[in-house]
Amino acid sequence: MNIQGETQQKLDIYAHDIVRKLCDHTGRLCLMVSEESEEVLTIPSRYPKGSYVLVFDPLDGSSNIDVNVSIGTIFGIYHCVDYEQRGRVEDALQPARDLVAAGYVLYGASTMLVYSTGNGVHGFTLNPEYGEFLLSHPFMRLPEPPAYYSVNASYYSRWSPGVQRFLDWLEGKSADSPNVSARYIGSLVADFHRNLLRGGIFCYPAEGQRKDGKLRLLYEAGPLAFLIEQAGGYASDGRRPILDIVPTHPHQRVALFVGNRALVERLEAFIRQEEGALAS
Ligand code: FDP
């Protein structure tokens, strides 16, 4: 089990160790935060310290490992807050709007690296013959109209009425419903990547039992929010931009709605409507 009480797979730990060992001695970083480690990872004193913070989910979508379905690695990079210090948790507790770079690696039918440094989103495909990632998708933009919506609809009864009404709307139950089809892999990077290429929205709402949703702000929602804005889209927790949320804890969870702006803003409108009705 990891600190979140979730089952850890061998490959989760293996991926965590690979990233940590590749990055701890480079002199670039002052701190790392990984989903698989409760404590933040400081740079050992025998190595030089740098000015960047790396936050990462070494292997996202672990429940898909044993069934050979696409999984991924998510990362974000910040400048440290105080270079004079050796690297403290405060250096990682920054809103995703302040990311210097973010991206993911998708282990699918091909292996892809997709990243942004704030100048568009760029996708590279691994060419195993050269052992190199080659630029295959420069300046990726979310297409319009969107093709898909992605959500684990088996949780419908646990959602708030506003989120339920939004799903009804996506499912075509209103006169102004969009023409979108359902696709849910249950592997965040893979669902996000497909929607980035085809247009759509990925939702992981808060639930009765999980008031802050399931996904992690710092190394899941934040980096993907940074990427989607760079691709012309938007990410929200239902009320405010994910990019503006200042984390108070490295492993904090957050509800996530990410994809084409019009779809995410429509969800926010459903939630506002619900909260307005409750208040009156
Ligand atoms: P997993 O539990 O398999 O690691 O980040 C966690 C995550 O996968 C995401 O990749 C995925 O989108 C989501 O959880 C799936 O959760 P549900 O099984 O509850 O739909």
Side-chain angles (χ1 to χ4, degrees):
M1 305 286 266
N2 68 11
I3 44 144
Q4 272 96 192
E6 296 158 346
T7 308
Q8 264 177 329
Q9 305 263 8
K10 263 188 207 163
L11 215 55
D12 286 324
I13 309 295
Y14 187 71
H16 164 88
D17 284 340
I18 286 181
V19 177
R20 182 178 58 78
K21 286 180 189 159
L22 278 171
C23 297
D24 65 358
H25 60 281
T26 60
R28 301 281 186 204
L29 300 180
C30 62
L31 193 78
M32 288 183 267
V33 178
S34 163
E35 183 186 15
E36 303 305 335
S37 166
E38 173 162 18
E39 304 300 329
V40 296
L41 306 166
T42 50
I43 302 303
S45 53
R46 62 184 181 280
Y47 298 135
K49 179 185 83 82
S51 58
Y52 292 101
V53 178
L54 173 68
V55 297
F56 65 104
D57 181 353
L59 211 52
D60 187 73
S62 344
S63 61
N64 284 310
I65 295 172
D66 283 343
V67 289
N68 200 19
V69 169
S70 299
I71 48 180
T73 298
I74 309 175
F75 64 89
I77 300 170
Y78 290 99
H79 275 299
C80 66
V81 175
D82 185 354
Y83 183 69
E84 300 310 317
Q85 310 266 354
R86 187 70 204 171
R88 304 162 309 145
V89 67
E90 288 82 354
D91 289 309
L93 299 180
Q94 302 187 52
R97 203 173 283 289
D98 293 344
L99 280 162
V100 174
Y104 58 81
V105 182
L106 172 63
Y107 314 105
S110 60
T111 298
M112 281 194 72
L113 165 69
V114 176
Y115 89 105
S116 175
T117 53
N119 182 25
V121 180
H122 308 284
F124 297 75
T125 306
L126 180 67
N127 181 325
E129 212 173 309
Y130 306 146
E132 295 281 357
F133 284 92
L134 305 180
L135 180 61
S136 50
H137 297 66
F139 289 104
M140 299 165 83
R141 300 290 294 177
L142 269 167
E144 291 282 357
Y148 297 123
Y149 68 96
S150 316
V151 62
N152 189 338
S154 66
Y155 302 148
Y156 184 92
S157 62
R158 304 181 198 166
W159 300 332
S160 67
V163 175
Q164 289 178 335
R165 274 202 286 276
F166 176 63
L167 191 75
D168 295 342
W169 178 75
L170 286 175
E171 283 179 343
K173 293 179 185 159
S174 301
D176 66 341
S177 285
N179 185 19
V180 285
S181 188
R183 291 282 189 287
Y184 189 72
I185 299 168
S187 197
L188 177 58
V189 175
D191 278 310
F192 179 91
H193 183 74
R194 183 205 50 246
N195 292 356
L196 177 59
L197 291 178
R198 298 282 178 260
I201 182 169
F202 173 92
C203 314
Y204 208 111
E207 298 166 10
Q209 296 293 315
R210 289 197 279 216
K211 296 261 173 278
D212 296 316
K214 175 184 183 187
L215 303 176
R216 266 40 78 96
L217 173 59
L218 198 58
Y219 39 78
E220 292 184 314
L224 297 184
F226 184 85
L227 288 172
I228 211 75
E229 288 249 343
Q230 284 293 318
Y234 175 48
S236 167
D237 71 348
R239 291 174 186 84
R240 59 196 162 151
I242 295 284
L243 290 182
D244 289 340
I245 305 175
V246 183
T248 53
H249 187 276
H251 300 292
Q252 180 174 333
R253 295 173 194 270
V254 72
L256 176 64
F257 303 89
V258 57
N260 288 64
R261 180 170 283 276
L263 294 178
V264 180
E265 286 181 346
R266 190 63 192 255
L267 171 273
E268 287 182 328
F270 274 103
I271 290 185
R272 267 198 310 275
Q273 216 175 22
E274 168 200 341
E275 291 179 347
L278 284 176
S280 59

